[in-house]
Amino acid sequence: MTLRHPAPTDEVVELCRDLLRIDSTNTGDTRTSAGERAAAEYVAGKLAEVGVEPTILETEPGRTNVVARIPGADPGRDALLVHGHLDVVPADPDEWSVHPFSGEVHDGYVWGRGAIDMKDFDAMTLAVVRDWQRTGVRPPRDIVLAFTADEEAGSDLGAHFLVERHPELFEGCTEAVGEVGGFSYTVNDNLRLYLVETAEKGIEWLRLHARGRPGHGSMIHDDNAVTALAEAVSRVGRHRFPLVVTPTVRAFLEEVSAALGIELDPDDPETAIAKLGPIANIIGATVRHTANPTRLEAGYKDNVIPGRATATIDCRTLPGDADEFLAQLREVIGPDLEIEHIQRQPALETTFDGALVDAMAAALRAEDPGARAVPYMLSGGTDAKAFTRLGIRCFGFAPLRLPADLNFSALFHGIDERVPVDGLQFGVRVLDRFLRAS
């Protein structure tokens, strides 16, 4: 009797649904996070089931990573890292059309927290690897798989832990692919640009501390920490940092301007960016540093003026300019507030060339004749910040062909996060072709 196994394009949907049904919420604090353990055990089980031996590494209770290596046909070649994180940001069920951990399929989409960030790519990777193991496919070189914890809170318990404590697991890896790249932007019926991430902004998560004189809330008070903090936060939130066009962003804008037939003014790229529709939010954030207030904390009683007030600022910096940014930010904040660094990771940028890039472009064209791969900069950050510390050249390439009218960027950390079923299946076919040729 011959056992029939599901095609990877069918299995990827079930794998994605299973992963979405696992609550792996990361609040940034292990005490309040659901943890990645259940998702990691699921992934490890799916790998072991087809003969791939997983290594499971836990940093704190429930904060779990999975790493595995698939031997390639040529052991003398450098290895390729394929990585995806298992944690997701919180989701409030009351805000969603479906339960965020239901993994429902309807209207041609798989719905759930993590559908595009990034359990879709985790599922694609599993589907391809499981199919290879069943059918005897051997990649041309070693492929290292890493499914990580804690990416949504800076990766200290995930990718950075692996790099610092277990670098031997990535022996020989010189290139890597991960999230937020390879997705389509429709120009017309015959042309779709697929944005491959070759750069990402740096992270500067800061706390601002204002100090003042405590006192009674009923009295006139000219040394109020809350007032000082509020004024500084308001200045930061309204400030626009100077325009800077990096090589990656310039290359993207030249490609998209030519494709859309619009004029690109190097001194005013934001006019062209405004015509990009939904992806303008991502691209617009890559032509300058950004600083957004995200949290406030002050006081302990309604009628007491506190002696201390704190704000958190999420800052994203362009490649090569972090120190200049901090100097500019200090001018905006003023001299009297203390600045505390709670997370600091550098921006990344590589060139859009080489055999790996050629393999991405060829795999996309094979599945979509209207595909054109182009480089872009991600406005956020990924686990690539950790893996680049090992000298690995990192790209974002989690291929998805998207409906032309889908506001893809709004789904990241947004309500009703979902991924198109046919996009998942397209991604599996492209990833399979790419990994066979890389």
Side-chain angles (χ1 to χ4, degrees):
M1 179 179 177
T2 302
L3 292 176
R4 295 179 62 86
H5 298 291
T9 48
D10 294 328
E11 188 173 36
V12 69
V13 178
E14 293 308 311
L15 292 167
C16 188
R17 293 185 73 187
D18 287 349
L19 285 167
L20 293 175
R21 289 167 176 155
I22 299 171
D23 182 352
S24 53
T25 297
N26 180 6
T27 64
D29 184 341
T30 295
R31 294 170 298 178
T32 55
S33 295
E36 298 87 351
R37 181 81 197 188
E41 289 178 345
Y42 174 86
V43 167
K46 290 298 181 181
L47 292 173
E49 191 175 88
V50 293
V52 177
E53 182 179 350
T55 298
I56 300 175
L57 297 155
E58 191 163 84
T59 51
E60 293 181 359
R63 313 308 302 275
T64 314
N65 304 273
V66 180
V67 182
R69 183 179 290 258
I70 300 172
D74 184 355
R77 284 191 60 190
D78 294 331
L80 174 68
L81 170 63
V82 180
H83 62 94
H85 62 84
L86 296 172
D87 61 323
V88 299
V89 296
D92 181 353
D94 291 338
E95 297 176 334
W96 284 56
S97 301
V98 303
H99 194 283
F101 298 107
S102 65
E104 286 191 27
V105 177
H106 67 87
D107 295 336
Y109 289 84
V110 186
W111 299 62
R113 173 61 84 218
I116 59 168
D117 187 15
M118 61 171 298
K119 291 180 176 178
D120 59 337
F121 187 61
D122 295 333
M124 289 182 212
T125 303
L126 285 174
V128 170
V129 168
R130 283 169 61 82
D131 185 61
W132 283 5
Q133 292 295 111
R134 290 164 175 160
T135 57
V137 174
R138 194 173 186 186
R141 56 169 162 167
D142 283 11
I143 293 179
V144 175
L145 308 175
F147 299 89
T148 61
D150 200 38
E151 191 275 344
E152 297 292 2
S155 307
D156 288 343
L157 304 180
H160 283 294
F161 164 80
L162 295 175
V163 164
E164 292 165 6
R165 301 286 295 276
H166 299 280
E168 72 281 355
L169 295 173
F170 308 99
E171 182 68 32
C173 289
T174 57
E175 297 171 310
V177 293
E179 65 176 324
V180 204
F183 58 92
S184 66
Y185 169 73
T186 298
V187 177
N188 55 51
D189 290 343
N190 300 313
L191 177 61
R192 277 158 296 282
L193 303 182
Y194 285 82
L195 281 61
V196 176
E197 186 210 305
T198 58
E200 59 182 51
K201 294 179 80 176
I203 296 173
E204 299 278 353
W205 291 344
L206 308 174
R207 285 202 183 100
L208 309 184
H209 300 286
R211 301 179 187 277
R213 187 178 71 253
H216 198 289
S218 68
M219 299 182 184
I220 295 173
H221 204 91
D222 58 3
D223 187 17
N224 189 317
V226 175
T227 302
L229 181 74
E231 290 173 343
V233 166
S234 179
R235 290 194 298 271
V236 170
R238 297 180 186 280
H239 184 72
R240 292 297 174 265
F241 290 87
L243 191 73
V244 178
V245 180
T246 63
T248 294
V249 173
R250 183 176 298 278
F252 171 78
L253 291 174
E254 288 173 351
E255 289 273 8
V256 77
S257 296
L260 294 174
I262 58 179
E263 184 177 352
L264 173 62
D265 180 351
D267 297 323
D268 181 24
E270 290 174 303
T271 297
I273 291 171
K275 300 176 182 178
L276 298 182
I279 66 167
N281 285 338
I282 294 178
I283 306 303
T286 63
V287 295
R288 62 179 79 243
H289 304 300
T290 58
N292 286 305
T294 56
R295 301 179 71 178
L296 295 169
E297 183 179 357
Y300 51 88
K301 196 171 187 300
D302 292 347
N303 63 347
V304 176
I305 296 170
R308 181 185 178 98
T310 299
T312 303
I313 312 294
D314 183 351
C315 307
R316 306 298 172 123
T317 59
L318 296 171
D321 286 335
D323 290 339
E324 180 183 0
F325 161 77
L326 289 171
Q328 294 170 354
L329 183 67
R330 169 53 82 182
E331 290 185 9
V332 176
I333 292 170
D336 297 330
L337 270 67
E338 175 191 345
I339 299 178
E340 175 192 2
H341 290 266
I342 55 177
Q343 187 69 244
R344 188 173 198 187
Q345 299 188 42
L348 307 177
E349 189 164 30
T350 188
T351 53
F352 188 62
D353 55 18
L356 198 71
V357 169
D358 293 343
M360 294 176 193
L364 288 166
R365 286 194 304 270
E367 293 297 331
D368 178 3
R372 182 189 301 168
V374 299
Y376 93 109
M377 180 186 292
L378 176 64
S379 59
T382 74
D383 278 339
K385 285 181 166 44
F387 295 123
T388 195
R389 295 167 60 193
L390 296 175
I392 298 173
R393 187 184 183 205
C394 295
F395 296 88
F397 187 68
L400 282 174
R401 180 169 173 173
L402 301 169
D405 60 350
L406 179 66
N407 189 347
F408 185 60
S409 64
L411 298 178
F412 284 88
H413 298 187
I415 297 168
D416 287 344
E417 185 180 350
R418 60 198 183 276
V419 63
V421 171
D422 57 3
L424 268 178
Q425 295 171 330
F426 171 86
V428 165
R429 295 193 300 269
V430 172
L431 187 64
D432 183 30
R433 287 180 182 273
F434 163 69
L435 294 177
R436 288 176 189 246
S438 63

